[in-house]
Amino acid sequence: MKILLDDISHPNSLFPFGAVRSVARARIGILSIFEKWDFYFPGQVSIASEKTIDDKEYNSLKFPVHIIPSHSFLQRLVIGDADISTDNSCRDIEHPWQFFEFNDWAIRQDFEMITTARVSQKISGTNQVIGLENIFLESGAKVNFSILNAENGPIYIGKNAEIMEGSLIRGPFVLGEEAIVKMGSKIYGATTIGPHSVAGGEIKNSILMGFSNKAHDGYLGDSVIGEWCNLGAGTNNSNLKNNVSPVRIWNKQNNCFEYAGIKCGLLMGDYSRSAINTAFNTGTIAGVCCNIFGNAFPPKFIDNFSWGNKKYLLDRALEDISNWKKLKSCVLSEDEIRTLKKIY
């Protein structure tokens, strides 16, 4: 059975996510949206914007890219007994802050899907553990002298990932493949640290989608950080207004503010970075490839390719991204360069 994820007809309502790569590549829970479908239909899933679709694939089952499939829906779809139009077990992401709002649910769905009928690696006796049955370590994962509390939600530690000494972790929590939690970190659920990312300080109910760093002290809460981002030491965000009134988020597509609920922190697009001691206001959106610094609060909307309060020169931006990628033994691809030039 072939699956086609339609991101062509989907409106750009999830900015800054989906600007560089398809929304299907966004991570929520343990897996990206694409990986959730591919888990049950390996090699049979296509994304409409990433290739030329032939006549056979137009006959595939087509789903909106922003639908987050549940474990039970995918199981029913395998046997041909599922209808997305009547199913209420999935989630529909219509706004960018819903990535962190739905992350608790998504972690539980993915944990069940990935770990069923499998055996976790043994966890070191140096740790203090609550809810051992809800903790799963992939091969090569290392956790020592830490406190893991999975009583209120599962904890998943990916292949070759590491939680360093003195860390305090409450589930639901995900640490992706080869990601690191630094010493003495305090992480509350529901939080996902994507593959090849580094996490430190205090984090709550947030997602780092992959290859990003929040490696030092500072608070990150009710936030979503894209790929290849870096938060400098002492970076903090507000997630709750002092008067506890609803948070307003700038909608780039509609050129207006919209309400995002009582709590919303920082929503940061791919390749963006903050300087040391940056303080983000409640409900801040930073676009793609921003270098954020200055003595005052950054604005609540930071457009693509911002350099402080100026425009980031394209050649300089590409050079800087390339340098950051080298730190994780990666290179800036020609496809990425073409996409970034188009956005610029």
Side-chain angles (χ1 to χ4, degrees):
M1 182 185 298
K2 289 186 176 294
I3 303 293
L4 180 63
L5 302 181
D6 177 19
D7 63 351
I8 294 177
S9 58
H10 179 253
N12 187 27
S13 60
L14 300 179
F15 182 87
F17 312 113
V20 174
R21 53 185 57 82
S22 170
V23 170
R25 302 296 181 183
R27 188 170 306 278
I28 178 171
I30 300 173
L31 304 173
S32 71
I33 298 172
F34 175 88
E35 289 168 342
K36 298 176 197 298
W37 294 95
D38 191 63
F39 187 89
Y40 272 102
F41 301 96
Q44 301 301 307
V45 184
S46 299
I47 302 171
S49 65
E50 293 187 350
K51 60 182 296 186
T52 301
I53 306 300
D54 60 29
D55 291 339
K56 292 181 180 179
E57 286 180 297
Y58 274 117
N59 295 325
S60 305
L61 288 176
K62 184 166 72 172
F63 296 95
V65 72
H66 54 93
I67 296 294
I68 314 300
S70 68
H71 182 206
S72 61
F73 174 80
L74 290 170
Q75 287 179 314
R76 294 194 301 274
L77 189 62
V78 167
I79 60 174
D81 186 26
D83 183 352
I84 197 67
S85 65
T86 60
D87 188 275
N88 61 5
S89 69
C90 303
R91 296 292 184 272
D92 183 356
I93 291 190
E94 299 177 333
H95 307 284
W97 58 85
Q98 289 178 319
F99 280 101
F100 70 74
E101 286 186 349
F102 295 158
N103 199 41
D104 185 307
W105 170 87
I107 291 173
R108 297 173 194 271
Q109 295 291 316
D110 288 352
F111 187 86
E112 181 181 1
M113 184 163 62
I114 290 173
T115 66
T116 296
R118 296 180 63 215
V119 177
S120 169
Q121 300 297 306
K122 185 177 180 181
I123 189 166
S124 167
T126 65
N127 300 287
Q128 295 185 8
V129 175
I130 302 173
L132 179 62
E133 67 279 6
N134 294 325
I135 299 175
F136 193 95
L137 276 66
E138 297 284 4
S139 62
K142 295 190 293 185
V143 187
N144 285 294
F145 294 101
S146 294
I147 297 176
L148 307 182
N149 184 347
E151 188 174 34
N152 295 320
I155 293 175
Y156 175 87
I157 313 299
K159 184 178 179 181
N160 297 326
E162 180 178 9
I163 297 178
M164 293 182 176
E165 309 87 80
S167 295
L168 310 175
I169 310 292
R170 291 178 66 93
F173 173 73
V174 173
L175 186 63
E177 182 175 340
E178 296 194 19
I180 295 172
V181 171
K182 298 187 75 175
M183 291 191 298
S185 300
K186 297 179 291 184
I187 303 182
Y188 302 82
T191 291
T192 294
I193 308 300
H196 305 277
S197 294
V198 181
E202 183 179 3
I203 303 175
K204 171 246 177 188
N205 194 33
S206 295
I207 298 173
L208 275 67
M209 289 194 179
F211 296 91
S212 290
N213 303 325
K214 188 248 176 249
H216 305 288
D217 285 343
Y219 177 71
L220 183 72
D222 299 290
S223 297
V224 184
I225 308 298
E227 293 194 1
W228 295 105
C229 296
N230 189 76
L231 303 182
T235 294
N236 289 276
N237 80 271
S238 168
N239 63 334
L240 179 68
K241 297 177 71 172
N242 284 342
N243 59 7
V244 201
S245 62
V247 180
R248 296 197 307 163
I249 295 288
W250 183 253
N251 185 309
K252 180 178 172 68
Q253 180 186 26
N254 297 329
N255 201 37
C256 66
F257 281 102
E258 56 187 0
Y259 288 102
I262 296 297
K263 288 190 175 184
C264 184
L266 170 64
L267 307 175
M268 176 177 277
D270 294 350
Y271 310 112
S272 287
R273 304 178 296 279
S274 68
I276 62 170
N277 295 326
T278 302
F280 288 102
N281 226 320
T282 318
T284 295
I285 286 190
V288 172
C289 197
C290 299
N291 194 338
I292 303 161
F293 58 89
N295 295 324
F297 278 108
K300 288 191 62 173
F301 176 71
I302 305 166
D303 209 351
N304 298 330
F305 289 93
S306 293
W307 171 277
N309 59 3
K310 298 180 181 180
K311 185 75 170 179
Y312 210 157
L313 297 178
L314 179 60
D315 288 346
R316 176 68 183 274
L318 296 176
E319 180 182 355
D320 291 347
I321 292 171
S322 180
N323 289 338
W324 276 101
K325 298 197 81 166
K326 288 175 184 176
L327 290 179
K328 295 182 187 284
S329 301
C330 295
V331 297
L332 183 62
S333 71
E334 291 300 320
D335 284 343
E336 288 176 294
I337 292 172
R338 280 192 293 269
T339 299
L340 290 168
K341 285 183 175 179
K342 182 178 179 181
I343 294 171
Y344 192 85

